[in-house]
Amino acid sequence: MATLSTQMNIIVEKTKNLIQLCDALQEENDLLKLEVQSLQVAFQTSTDKVKQSEEKLKAMAVAKSLEEPNTDNAAINEKILDTKQKINDFVREIDRCIGLLK
C-alpha cells in the first residue's frame, strides 16, 4: 500500500494538472468570447448595410415611379398614395430609431 506521502504527491500532481487544464480552457474561452464579439460586430455591420441598401432601393423605386411620363391620372394618384405611405414608413422608422437613442 502506498504511503501517505506518495498519495499526497499524486494528489498534488493531479491538482497541478487540473489547474493547468483549467488555465488552458480559460484562455480558450477568452479567445472564443473575443471571436463571438467580432462576429457580432460583423453581423451588425452587415445588417446595417442591408437595411441601408433596402432603403436606397425603396427610394429608387419611388423616384423611378415618379419619373414615368406615360401614366394616367389614376395611376398617378395611386403612386402618390404609395409614395406617401413610404414616406410615413420612413418617418416611423426614424421615430423608432430616435426612441432607441433616448
Side-chain angles (χ1 to χ4, degrees), residues 3-97:
T3 65
L4 186 60
S5 176
T6 306
Q7 289 177 347
M8 186 61 112
N9 287 338
I10 292 171
I11 291 173
V12 168
E13 285 301 314
K14 287 184 178 183
T15 303
K16 285 181 183 178
N17 288 341
L18 286 174
I19 290 172
Q20 288 175 349
L21 180 61
C22 182
D23 289 341
L25 289 173
Q26 187 63 43
E27 285 181 33
E28 182 182 2
N29 190 26
D30 291 341
L31 290 173
L32 290 172
K33 284 180 181 179
L34 288 174
E35 185 178 354
V36 165
Q37 287 176 343
S38 171
L39 290 173
Q40 286 174 335
V41 169
F43 177 74
Q44 185 61 42
T45 302
S46 297
T47 303
D48 292 344
K49 285 183 180 180
V50 167
K51 286 182 181 178
Q52 289 175 354
S53 296
E54 288 174 347
E55 289 175 10
K56 285 180 183 179
L57 182 63
K58 286 180 184 178
M60 290 173 63
V62 169
K64 185 177 178 182
S65 69
L66 294 176
E67 288 178 355
E68 295 176 2
N70 298 332
T71 55
D72 58 69
N73 285 337
I76 290 173
N77 288 337
E78 183 179 331
K79 288 181 182 183
I80 290 172
L81 290 175
D82 186 45
T83 304
K84 286 181 181 180
Q85 180 62 40
K86 289 179 182 178
I87 291 171
N88 287 336
D89 291 342
F90 287 135
V91 170
R92 276 195 288 283
E93 181 67 21
I94 291 169
D95 288 341
R96 186 186 67 79
C97 291

